[in-house]
Amino acid sequence: MGIQRFEDIIGWQRAQDLAVDIYGIFQHSKDFGFRDQICRAAVSVSNNIAEGFDRSSDSDFCRFLYIAIASCSEVKSMVYLAQRLGYITDDQTQTLVRKSEEVAKILRGLIKSLSLMNYPR
């Protein structure tokens, strides 16, 4: 039996953790535009996983997973910029980059497994 709820998807759980970390680190940032953009990108990851899960087909779900991966890349890019701007420490940068890469890796694995299920050899 497959996954019944998006809340059970490990990638969604880790994406939620990443968003909580992003909100916690940038909650007091005075650069409101930057803070808004990185928080929106972080939230977009788990939201796209959830939205895609409830689509009518695995191909639709995969499309949303690719969008979630792209949002991970946006978060990662903004984390590097935050470091260069002096908003976060090197340790925070390494942690956030690692977490965003981990989420993307999990989602790529999910896409691969969905593709294999639909195209057996």
Side-chain angles (χ1 to χ4, degrees):
M1 179 181 290
I3 297 170
Q4 300 298 311
R5 306 172 330 129
F6 70 81
E7 295 93 332
D8 296 329
I9 299 171
I10 301 296
W12 179 85
Q13 295 168 7
R14 300 283 168 78
Q16 287 269 301
D17 293 342
L18 176 62
V20 168
D21 289 347
I22 293 290
Y23 267 82
I25 289 169
F26 292 98
Q27 69 182 337
H28 299 297
S29 173
K30 301 288 190 234
D31 187 339
F32 301 113
F34 185 92
R35 181 181 71 199
D36 183 58
Q37 186 66 30
I38 196 168
C39 288
R40 285 176 182 268
V43 169
S44 178
V45 180
S46 62
N47 284 349
N48 275 294
I49 297 166
E51 185 175 351
F53 181 79
D54 284 325
R55 291 292 173 146
S56 59
S57 68
D58 285 348
S59 63
D60 273 349
F61 186 24
C62 285
R63 185 169 56 86
F64 277 85
L65 292 174
Y66 280 116
I67 295 168
I69 291 169
S71 292
C72 282
S73 293
E74 181 179 359
V75 169
K76 191 163 82 166
S77 177
M78 294 196 73
V79 165
Y80 287 127
L81 181 57
Q83 179 188 31
R84 292 185 69 191
L85 293 170
Y87 295 168
I88 59 175
T89 67
D90 290 347
D91 286 343
Q92 289 171 316
T93 300
Q94 291 173 2
T95 297
L96 294 173
V97 165
R98 180 184 48 77
K99 287 184 177 188
S100 65
E101 289 173 345
E102 176 187 26
V103 171
K105 183 177 180 180
I106 291 168
L107 298 182
R108 283 187 188 94
L110 181 53
I111 290 167
K112 185 176 180 181
S113 70
L114 289 169
S115 298
L116 291 175
M117 287 173 26
N118 289 320
Y119 304 106
R121 294 180 183 207

